[in-house]
Amino acid sequence: MNRAKAQVNQVLVGDRHLPHLADEKGQAMTDEKRDNAVVTIMFTDIVDSTRVKAQIGDDAYKDVLDRHHTLVRKSIRGHHGEEIKTIGDSFFVQFSNPANAVECGSEIQKKFSDTPIETGQGPLHVRIGLHTGTPIRYIDPVS
């Protein structure tokens, strides 16, 4: 791990960092350990997606959405993220390493800047939020 990544990890999670939510032998954590794990959550969302879809139509929007999903998923995999849920144009992703989450979000924004997905109304823009902490597990029987 490079020095900058190590510093981000230390500042954000200190000694509670648990790589990939597995123990040191690579075994799945117990519920107790997992409940106390510090993770970084990333949410992404296409800016004004409803307006974009209305302006370009369903078929063109499906193509835009497929290209968006491919780009985001490639970055998630490349930075060891775990896709928890996707609804429409939004992703909910978990990282065991906060620096990986920061790098993933930065890479996604850079990719959209370097190779924009044109909508006919201008390039697609993606909003990304990150949060690091100990989440409360909640099972939603509906979703």
Side-chain angles (χ1 to χ4, degrees), residues 59-88:
D59 292 337
Y61 187 71
K62 183 180 180 328
D63 179 56
V64 165
L65 200 58
D66 288 346
R67 292 173 59 204
H68 163 268
H69 281 25
T70 298
L71 185 151
V72 171
R73 284 188 171 121
K74 184 175 180 182
S75 293
I76 291 167
R77 283 190 307 274
H79 294 281
H80 311 289
E82 177 187 357
E83 184 178 327
I84 304 297
K85 193 170 196 173
T86 302
I87 299 176

Side-chain angles (χ1 to χ4, degrees), residues 48-134:
D48 293 329
S49 61
T50 303
R51 180 188 53 78
V52 170
K53 183 178 179 186
Q55 288 177 340
I56 67 174
D58 290 343
D59 292 337
Y61 187 71
K62 183 180 180 328
D63 179 56
V64 165
L65 200 58
D66 288 346
R67 292 173 59 204
H68 163 268
H69 281 25
T70 298
L71 185 151
V72 171
R73 284 188 171 121
K74 184 175 180 182
S75 293
I76 291 167
R77 283 190 307 274
H79 294 281
H80 311 289
E82 177 187 357
E83 184 178 327
I84 304 297
K85 193 170 196 173
T86 302
I87 299 176
D89 64 305
S90 300
F91 281 83
F92 170 27
V93 183
Q94 172 180 287
F95 295 85
S96 63
N97 180 313
N100 284 352
V102 171
E103 290 171 355
C104 181
S106 295
E107 179 179 283
I108 291 168
Q109 293 293 19
K110 182 165 178 22
K111 284 182 178 181
F112 276 102
S113 175
D114 291 349
T115 55
I117 297 175
E118 288 296 331
T119 66
Q121 306 295 320
L124 199 68
H125 295 284
V126 176
R127 185 177 11 242
I128 298 174
L130 299 172
H131 176 74
T132 298
T134 306

Side-chain angles (χ1 to χ4, degrees), residues 1 5 16-29 33-34 37-40 76-82 94-98 100-101:
M1 181 178 329
K5 189 183 266 190
R16 293 182 61 203
H17 174 65
L18 300 168
H20 306 290
L21 299 182
D23 66 18
E24 57 280 350
K25 295 178 184 173
Q27 301 298 312
M29 285 187 206
K33 281 187 179 180
R34 189 175 20 260
V38 173
V39 297
T40 299
I76 291 167
R77 283 190 307 274
H79 294 281
H80 311 289
E82 177 187 357
Q94 172 180 287
F95 295 85
S96 63
N97 180 313
N100 284 352

